[in-house]
Structures are given as C-alpha cells and as structure tokens.
Amino acid sequence: MTDIYEDIRSFTGSDWPEVWAILHETFARGDTYSFAPDSSESDIHRAWIDVPLRSYVACDADGRVIGTYFIKPNQPGLGAHVCNCGYVVAPHVRGQGLASLMCAHSQREALALGFRAMQFNFVVASNEGAVRLWRKLGFDIVGRLPGAFKHAQLGYVDALIMFKQLVAA
Amino acid sequence: MTDIYEDIRSFTGSDWPEVWAILHETFARGDTYSFAPDSSESDIHRAWIDVPLRSYVACDADGRVIGTYFIKPNQPGLGAHVCNCGYVVAPHVRGQGLASLMCAHSQREALALGFRAMQFNFVVASNEGAVRLWRKLGFDIVGRLPGAFKHAQLGYVDALIMFKQLVAA
C-alpha cells in the first residue's frame, strides 16, 4: 500500500463525484457515521468539503479515488489547537491498511497546519475494527457517550471519544 | 429566583443587542468558552442564534435580558437524539441560581423537542463552579480532553465532556 500513501493528495472539485459515491455508500449503511443514511449530496458536500479546513483523497494506481478524509479545528478560538478528522475508505479496498495510511498522513498534515492534538468525537463503539485501529495508532479512549448513536441494525449504542497528543504537552 | 424562571422565553430578534452584550463580555474573558475573545458579533450570532435549533433569554423583573442559552442537536441524523446546550449568565447576577434555572428549563424544552439526552462537549475543567453545578443537576463527567482549552490566564487546561440521560435507556 505504499503506492497509495504516495497518492494521498488535496481534494479538488473534480474529485467530488467519486468522493460522494464513497461517502454516500458508507453513510447509507448507518453503522459508522452519524450522518443520516439519506443525507443529501449538498449536506455532505458542506460537511466534508466546505466546512473543513482541508479535505484529501487517496487514489489507486489508476488514479481512481479509493478513500477520503478531512481535517478541521474541533472547536473555535481557544480550542482550535485540537483538530478533528473523518476518514472513509471505499468498500472494495477495506482491510488493506488505507485508513492507517490516511490517518498517518492526517497527523503529518495536522502538525504542518499547527495543530497540537487530534480528537475523534464520535467513534461508534460497535465499530470494533476502527476502535482497535485508532488505539494501535496511538489514540486513547478519553470518553464514552452512552447510547449516543442510533445504529441502523443495533439500535442505540455508545460512541467513544478518542484523543491523541501530537505535540508533547 | 422563581420569578426569573417564569421569565425564560424564546429569543426574538430584538433581544440581540442585550444578548450580544452578555456574550461578548463573557467570551472576552477567555476562561469558559472556546469562542475567541475577539470573536465578531456576526460569528457569535451565527453560533448562538442561527445554527442552534432554539435560543432563549432569561429576563429580570424589568424585562432586561440577564441570561441566555441555546439548544441544538449535538450530531446530525443518527446522533440527533442527543442535544447540546450553552448557557451564559450576565455578570451582575452570577451566583444567584440563574444557570440552574436555565438548565432545568432547557431539559424540559429538550424533552418537548424529542431529545433523549443532553451533552456538554467542552466544560473547562478550571471552571469548577460550572462542573460542580452540572454534577449537582445530574450530569456525569464522561470524558476528559487533555489540554484542549487554551485558558487566557492558565494556558492549556483540560476540558470535560458531561452527559445526562433525559429518557430512561
């Protein structure tokens, strides 16, 4: 997957149809992100592209988009030294390490952008693969929100808050 | 303070100058909210009035605004059953119980609006009075964000996540 790592780059407007296809398919399942399964394209464009500070895509050897992530301050002003990211991997390349590569990339970008820490606000507790991955990548579980996510199959499940210092305190 | 409780009502546009005066004075201190101390009036109007689902004011016996709060979903779609609120009390009436009254009011409103729980994302740990108050009102500390708030006097301090179920799970 090192080739893919080299192909993580800034999002440009012409990437959107491919990005939207991946996001739509992911959010429609209703098992990992809080976006409503029937979220409109414009709502997701706002959340993934317009609101964030930066958005990125990961491409395969043929230049097709296979993953995407965003980075933004998690709070305004006095909390803006902590960033928040969201990552989505295309279904056909899951389990091959792309989320790890995007997360590593995002941490480098976060430091370059001046952030001191990274926070995930809403990791669905039943998404055990994600929780395990973020822990492996150095994120601590710093909070648990009881029943905060309405899972499409499981009903109300907990969401976790995960946090990693990028700069020594 | 029961009189004040009766005078908590929905925000209307003509309240804004009084609301802004209270918010501006509070945020300028840089010790409780993450809004930058020099936040513009339009940025705060967006955050306190435009983005939230509902905003409210508390008035004294002469009809002057002495407190304000907002309520909004803390997440979109599958997390929208948990609300988030922010409260600000005018400096000259601090310590008289108005925050408690607004919080009680907000919990009733939250239930009426269909929310099942209430979450505070960013309670500054050094704001001990607030932490004590929210605990007294039934909120649990469910998370701690290390160094997530840049306090104007104290530098980096922790922020707490607090949570209260409003409907039995």
Side-chain angles (χ1 to χ4, degrees), chain A residues 50-71:
Chain A
D50 299 339
V51 169
L53 181 59
R54 301 282 169 86
S55 304
Y56 301 83
V57 292
C59 300
D60 68 12
D62 298 321
R64 284 176 298 218
V65 174
I66 53 174
T68 178
Y69 81 87
F70 68 77
I71 188 165

Side-chain angles (χ1 to χ4, degrees), chain A residues 5-56:
Chain A
Y5 185 63
E6 298 305 321
D7 283 343
I8 298 174
R9 60 166 174 77
S10 290
F11 168 89
T12 60
S14 59
D15 297 320
W16 176 248
E18 289 179 282
V19 168
W20 165 241
I22 296 171
L23 296 179
H24 177 61
E25 183 169 358
T26 301
F27 301 154
R29 290 199 311 275
D31 57 359
T32 55
Y33 273 84
S34 59
F35 299 111
D38 60 352
S39 292
S40 71
E41 184 171 349
S42 65
D43 281 352
I44 298 303
H45 191 281
R46 189 176 315 117
W48 206 266
I49 306 296
D50 299 339
V51 169
L53 181 59
R54 301 282 169 86
S55 304
Y56 301 83

Side-chain angles (χ1 to χ4, degrees), chain B residues 75-145:
Chain B
Q75 292 284 341
L78 302 177
H81 56 288
V82 179
C83 68
N84 168 248
C85 294
Y87 313 84
V88 166
V89 171
H92 71 282
V93 295
R94 290 232 170 92
Q96 296 178 39
L98 182 54
S100 291
L101 295 175
M102 289 198 293
C103 186
H105 190 274
S106 70
Q107 291 179 52
R108 295 191 312 174
E109 291 290 311
L111 283 168
L113 291 165
F115 292 108
R116 300 173 56 90
M118 187 176 288
Q119 180 177 335
F120 302 151
N121 297 310
F122 209 74
V123 181
V124 177
S126 58
N127 188 5
E128 294 174 5
V131 176
R132 196 164 44 234
L133 178 60
W134 303 144
R135 292 194 70 156
K136 184 175 152 195
L137 295 176
F139 288 80
D140 294 321
I141 296 172
V142 298
R144 177 178 283 265
L145 309 171

Side-chain angles (χ1 to χ4, degrees), chain B residues 6 10 15 17 29 42-43 61 63 66-68 75-76 84 112 122-123 125 127 143 145 157 160-161:
Chain B
E6 299 303 322
S10 290
D15 297 320
R29 291 200 310 274
S42 64
D43 281 352
I66 53 175
T68 178
Q75 292 284 341
N84 168 248
F122 209 74
V123 181
N127 188 5
L145 309 171
V157 300
L160 305 177
I161 296 155

Side-chain angles (χ1 to χ4, degrees), chain A residues 30 33-37 75-79 81-82 116 119 121-122 142-150 156 161 163 165, chain B residues 30 33-37 75-79 81-82 116 119 121-122 142-150 156 161 163 165:
Chain A
Y33 273 84
S34 59
F35 299 111
Q75 293 283 341
L78 302 178
H81 55 289
V82 179
R116 299 172 57 89
Q119 180 177 335
N121 297 309
F122 210 74
V142 299
R144 176 178 284 265
L145 309 171
F149 181 70
K150 191 172 184 178
Y156 294 111
I161 297 155
F163 196 96
Q165 298 282 3
Chain B
Y33 272 84
S34 59
F35 299 112
Q75 292 284 341
L78 302 177
H81 56 288
V82 179
R116 300 173 56 90
Q119 180 177 335
N121 297 310
F122 209 74
V142 298
R144 177 178 283 265
L145 309 171
F149 181 70
K150 192 172 185 179
Y156 294 111
I161 296 155
F163 195 96
Q165 298 283 2

